[in-house]
Amino acid sequence: MVPIQMVDLKRQYTKIKPQVDAAIQEVLESAAFINGGAVQKFAEELQQYLDIKHVIPCANGTDALQIAMMALDLQPGDEVITPSFTFIATAEVIALLQLKPVFVDVDPQTYCLDVAAVEKAITPKTKAIVPVHLYGHVADMEPLMAVAAKHNLYVIEDNAQAIGGNYTFADGSVKKAGTIGHIGCTSFFPSKNLGCYGDGGALFTNDDALAAKIRMVANHGQSARYYHDVVGVNSRLDSVQAAVLRIKLPLLDEYINARRAVADAYDAAFADMPQVTTPYRAPNSYHVFHQYTLQLNGADRNKLQEYLATKQVPAMIYYPVPAHRQKMFEHFGGAAFDLPVTDNLTTRVISLPIHTEMDKDQLDHIIHSIKSFLNNSPA
């Protein structure tokens, strides 16, 4: 059996090696390493895929979030509502810009923002909401956008984990994750569903004026060369990474289908096991399974992880310490936030290997190993 990895990027690369190597070679021969043709072409192709007017590439997903908040002219002291159950970057950039993160709880099934909790957290200082499409499940955007419109708030989608995901509105219309809020942000970190071979990110918007501001902020605040209208940053996607992403973008839906097939196999295998709760798939969210995350019910998570390691099965505990309990947010009164769902989830979730190259032997071994542990553990 091929060794099991959380994400097998080497085997994925092997399948597309000739195309990737040729694309990289083309960049090398052009010597257009920064803002070369591959960057613009990738942006145009991603715009078509997402059905959105503007895609602005940048250096990484964290930069994308920061640039979005800078482009919206959020000011020190402004409050930004976000989940605590997420990768730290989501809240980190809020604090970096001297804004105030306001942590709210998540839905216990989807792990995404609880819309009712969002509305309760709004104050006169609230200026934006940052929903996170965690693990590949799209947050419940329709009621969230209604709350934002009611209170005149911006919505910045953290779409680092759900690119390619769909959201279906009550009228039957469908939009891609990241294209519903005022700005969408994503990461092309190598392990993402659409990943490059280094760092990379992008912002999405349908607002022409906002797109122009985003481009300006991402390029030293320049409106024209050497004319700097606002304080900006230096954040760009390099041509080699764009070339790789151009090869992988046409395969994204295929990659998602492969991940969903793995998720289907896990769902079926664990359906009758009371010790685990498999990931929920809301009817209006097309889950792209960046991660496949179980909730354990009474089973010892650490012992399971240790047991799986003895069987050469990697398993990850993502976000064991939620943002509101991190030392970096103590001065915002982080631990004072009452987030019982978040606190509960962080003690119970564990993510299993899921990627585009998984085969039946690997899946069978993972499933057998988990069942063996759970069936021989006290409840």
Side-chain angles (χ1 to χ4, degrees):
M1 184 179 66
V2 175
I4 299 170
Q5 300 182 43
M6 289 297 292
V7 181
D8 195 337
L9 295 176
K10 186 172 183 179
R11 290 175 74 197
Q12 185 188 74
Y13 164 64
T14 300
K15 287 187 175 180
I16 56 175
K17 185 179 189 302
Q19 302 97 304
V20 168
D21 290 358
I24 292 173
Q25 187 63 35
E26 185 177 339
V27 172
L28 297 178
E29 291 175 358
S30 74
F33 303 121
I34 300 295
N35 291 329
V39 177
Q40 182 58 40
K41 289 174 183 175
F42 170 66
E44 292 169 356
E45 290 158 3
L46 188 54
Q47 283 167 199
Q48 293 173 4
Y49 175 83
L50 295 172
D51 190 23
I52 198 162
K53 289 177 71 175
H54 303 280
V55 168
I56 302 98
C58 65
N60 55 68
T62 306
D63 276 9
L65 290 164
Q66 179 179 335
I67 292 163
M69 294 176 199
M70 293 173 71
L72 292 171
D73 293 321
L74 302 185
Q75 299 297 310
D78 287 348
E79 294 179 356
V80 179
I81 294 173
T82 193
S84 177
F85 189 43
T86 179
F87 181 58
I88 200 66
T90 313
E92 182 182 35
V93 296
I94 298 170
L96 180 68
L97 295 172
Q98 297 184 317
L99 311 171
K100 181 181 179 181
V102 176
F103 298 111
V104 301
D105 223 339
V106 293
D107 180 274
Q109 290 184 298
T110 69
Y111 312 143
C112 299
L113 274 182
D114 180 327
V115 178
V118 168
E119 187 150 31
K120 288 178 182 177
I122 293 170
T123 76
K125 292 185 177 181
T126 307
K127 295 296 186 294
I129 305 167
V130 184
V132 179
H133 305 315
L134 198 69
Y135 300 145
H137 191 289
V138 186
D140 198 2
M141 292 301 295
E142 187 166 16
L144 189 65
M145 293 303 294
V147 168
K150 176 182 174 182
H151 296 277
N152 196 29
L153 305 175
Y154 293 115
V155 175
I156 302 167
E157 292 177 72
D158 184 336
N159 193 37
Q161 299 187 18
I163 192 162
N166 295 331
Y167 181 85
T168 303
F169 289 80
D171 64 3
S173 62
V174 179
K175 287 188 175 182
K176 288 289 187 188
T179 70
I180 303 165
H182 299 89
I183 303 175
C185 301
T186 201
S187 164
F188 301 125
F189 188 78
S191 63
K192 303 299 185 187
N193 291 24
L194 178 62
C196 55
Y197 292 168
D199 271 319
L203 301 96
F204 323 133
T205 186
N206 280 310
D207 186 313
D208 294 343
L210 196 49
K213 185 69 176 293
I214 290 168
R215 293 183 200 279
M216 193 185 306
V217 171
N219 187 27
H220 299 289
Q222 292 184 109
S223 57
R225 192 169 188 182
Y226 301 127
Y227 289 83
H228 306 268
D229 296 1
V230 297
V231 173
V233 297
N234 175 29
S235 185
R236 54 202 174 200
L237 180 69
D238 73 62
S239 302
V240 168
Q241 304 306 333
V244 172
L245 290 165
R246 289 192 69 208
I247 301 301
K248 295 178 79 171
L249 178 58
L251 301 171
L252 177 56
D253 288 346
E254 179 183 323
Y255 289 164
I256 290 169
N257 289 338
R259 286 172 174 270
R260 285 174 59 87
V262 173
D264 290 345
Y266 282 146
D267 282 355
F270 303 133
D272 297 324
M273 301 199 72
Q275 304 100 318
V276 298
T277 301
T278 56
Y280 177 70
R281 309 188 199 191
N284 58 359
S285 170
Y286 185 77
H287 202 316
V288 297
F289 285 99
H290 174 60
Q291 304 293 348
Y292 185 91
T293 303
L294 294 174
Q295 286 189 51
L296 298 182
N297 307 316
D300 189 309
R301 181 175 65 176
N302 291 340
K303 286 184 179 178
L304 172 59
Q305 188 181 37
E306 292 166 4
Y307 176 80
L308 291 177
T310 69
K311 300 298 182 181
Q312 288 74 54
V313 175
M316 291 294 293
I317 299 171
Y318 292 108
Y319 327 130
V321 181
H324 74 290
R325 296 198 178 278
Q326 297 285 354
K327 186 175 181 179
M328 67 192 292
F329 294 121
E330 283 180 352
H331 63 292
F332 290 109
F337 287 97
D338 183 24
L339 308 179
V341 175
T342 294
D343 284 332
N344 182 45
L345 287 173
T346 55
T347 66
R348 294 173 57 202
V349 296
I350 188 167
S351 297
L352 307 183
I354 188 166
H355 56 78
T356 57
E357 312 308 313
M358 289 189 72
D359 57 43
K360 187 177 185 301
D361 286 347
Q362 292 176 317
L363 265 173
D364 288 348
H365 179 68
I366 295 166
I367 290 165
H368 175 78
S369 299
I370 292 170
K371 285 188 169 183
S372 177
F373 175 84
L374 293 177
N375 287 335
N376 291 285
S377 296

